[in-house]
Amino acid sequence: MEKWNNRTTGNDFVLLGLFHQMKAPELLFTFIFLVFLMALIVNVMMMILIWLNSHLHTPMYFLLSQLSLMDLLYISTFVPKIVIDFLSGRNNISFTNCGIQLFLFTTLVGAECLLLAVMAYDRYVAICHPLHYSILMRPTVCAFMVAGAWLGALLNALIHVVYVMNLPYCGSREIQHFFCEIPALLELVCADTSLYENGLFISGAVFLLLPISAIMASYGQILSTVLKLGLNMGMRKALTTCSSHIIVVTLFYGTAISKYFLPKSYHTVEQDKLVSIFYTILTPMLNPLIYSLRNKEMAGALRKVLGRKITIENRRKNGPWLQKDFTITEKKNVQQINCTLP
């Protein structure tokens, strides 16, 4: 692998990335690439399963499909650029592409923060107000909340990107990161950014602290309701879903808060990169795995799709006229049809 090219042309930035100080960068690159492939597979599979199975056409699974979409876009914002830079030996990024990457990153982070709060509200209504669930989480309301999450995140990202990309950059254009991020870019600005950093802190509080406060309040009410009603079968199923959501929330918010709200003296550039790898690359792969492995309905939908595919392949191979190739379900369907015939 040729040496990294740190020279800029015009308004290019240099992403110092993850590999420039490593003795064996191939190992980390292979790991990231495999995680990326796994994230693509599991998130696309999650969305396809929810779309194909009519039993999963509920608000909870609609929100899960939105989370998978966000994770898919999220990891695709960074890893392709990392792969291209590693294979080409170049780590430049143009001013325009840096702005686009920053916009996508800020939008997806904000949207996922708000979506996780909406998902917690969905579980709160399902467990604490089950008789009103069909009204409070009807399709129009659910779509409105998801659209609000996307639009709020888009507006927030647009404001930040327009401001940051119009700041005066001077001296070194080496970004101590593997993607364009606001804190890393502010290090290159030759102007006083203290006022903007205060505004950035407020924005972070709105998109991180307020949603997680709402999530904690929702799960506090859920726990109180469960303790009052006891652990019957329905409650156990609900708690299983809630526990999956709590794991996802802990992974995402925990790393984001440690990155953006701890004082700079408590973390270094290398630590920031490791934390960023976790919530930008690992979390999009882990989210669908956590939900699918702990969700019996998702597992059942996957078995149903795989079983249907195997049955169709057997029919094509041996012919649909062979009675021995009929599954038990198909036999029952044939008997029911014969009973209904005059």
Side-chain angles (χ1 to χ4, degrees):
M1 184 63 61
E2 61 184 270
K3 294 182 179 180
W4 297 106
N5 180 9
N6 288 335
R7 292 176 299 174
T8 62
T9 58
N11 291 326
D12 285 2
F13 291 105
V14 176
L15 294 171
L16 294 183
L18 299 168
F19 311 110
H20 70 290
Q21 291 181 340
M22 293 190 65
K23 295 181 179 179
E26 293 82 5
L27 294 177
L28 180 58
F29 171 78
T30 303
F31 172 75
I32 291 175
F33 186 70
L34 292 177
V35 169
F36 175 65
L37 292 180
M38 178 63 71
L40 290 181
I41 293 170
V42 294
N43 280 292
V44 170
M45 183 184 70
M46 179 82 79
M47 290 188 290
I48 291 176
L49 286 177
I50 294 173
W51 178 64
L52 290 178
N53 196 316
S54 59
H55 296 292
L56 302 182
H57 293 175
T58 62
M60 184 184 79
Y61 289 104
F62 170 69
L63 296 176
L64 275 178
S65 68
Q66 288 294 304
L67 181 63
S68 290
L69 175 62
M70 290 178 184
D71 285 337
L72 188 63
L73 296 174
Y74 198 42
I75 196 170
S76 299
T77 302
F78 314 109
V79 178
K81 173 63 176 172
I82 294 174
V83 172
I84 292 172
D85 286 349
F86 182 82
L87 296 178
S88 66
R90 297 177 59 86
N91 53 345
N92 292 358
I93 183 170
S94 68
F95 188 84
T96 301
N97 288 337
C98 183
I100 293 173
Q101 190 179 69
L102 179 62
F103 176 76
L104 291 174
F105 166 71
T106 309
T107 298
L108 293 168
V109 167
E112 188 157 334
C113 286
L114 297 178
L115 181 69
L116 290 174
V118 173
M119 293 173 71
Y121 173 75
D122 170 74
R123 293 299 84 204
Y124 161 74
V125 175
I127 296 174
C128 300
H129 302 283
L131 298 179
H132 299 92
Y133 183 79
S134 59
I135 298 175
L136 295 175
M137 289 301 294
R138 61 186 182 273
T140 52
V141 174
C142 191
F144 178 79
M145 289 191 291
V146 171
W150 278 107
L151 291 175
L154 281 169
L155 180 61
N156 175 69
L158 184 62
I159 293 172
H160 284 296
V161 171
V162 170
Y163 183 85
V164 171
M165 300 311 289
N166 280 284
L167 289 172
Y169 294 93
C170 53
S172 174
R173 285 183 171 264
E174 294 182 347
I175 300 176
Q176 293 284 348
H177 218 316
F178 60 91
F179 67 96
C180 289
E181 191 180 27
I182 291 176
L185 286 170
L186 291 181
E187 296 293 332
L188 308 180
V189 175
C190 51
D192 183 15
T193 60
S194 57
L195 183 62
Y196 172 71
E197 289 179 12
N198 292 333
L200 186 64
F201 181 85
I202 296 173
S203 175
V206 171
F207 281 88
L208 283 174
L209 298 185
L210 287 184
I212 198 150
S213 299
I215 292 170
M216 293 175 64
S218 297
Y219 281 109
Q221 290 293 322
I222 289 172
L223 181 61
S224 176
T225 301
V226 169
L227 292 176
K228 290 178 182 177
L229 298 179
L231 287 176
N232 55 33
M233 188 61 67
M235 285 299 174
R236 289 174 183 171
K237 181 179 178 181
L239 285 179
T240 300
T241 305
C242 291
S243 63
S244 299
H245 186 246
I246 291 173
I247 294 172
V248 171
V249 167
T250 303
L251 292 175
F252 185 78
Y253 281 98
T255 52
I257 290 175
S258 66
K259 171 74 180 293
Y260 293 105
F261 284 91
L262 286 179
K264 293 182 179 179
S265 58
Y266 285 87
H267 49 88
T268 63
V269 173
E270 289 73 20
Q271 290 172 342
D272 285 345
K273 289 182 182 180
L274 290 176
V275 172
S276 297
I277 289 174
F278 195 87
Y279 72 80
T280 59
I281 298 175
L282 289 179
T283 301
M285 180 197 70
L286 293 175
N287 286 351
L289 289 177
I290 292 170
Y291 278 109
S292 60
L293 292 177
R294 297 174 59 86
N295 191 305
K296 293 182 179 179
E297 291 183 350
M298 289 297 301
L302 179 60
R303 287 194 298 268
K304 184 178 179 181
V305 171
L306 293 177
R308 184 185 303 170
K309 182 177 180 181
I310 293 173
T311 301
I312 293 174
E313 289 178 353
N314 287 337
R315 285 183 178 179
R316 290 176 177 175
K317 183 177 180 181
N318 300 320
W321 49 271
L322 290 177
Q323 184 67 23
K324 64 179 181 180
D325 287 334
F326 276 20
T327 63
I328 296 176
T329 303
E330 289 172 326
K331 289 181 180 179
K332 289 181 179 180
N333 291 338
V334 172
Q335 292 173 359
Q336 291 175 357
I337 293 173
N338 290 335
C339 291
T340 58
L341 290 175

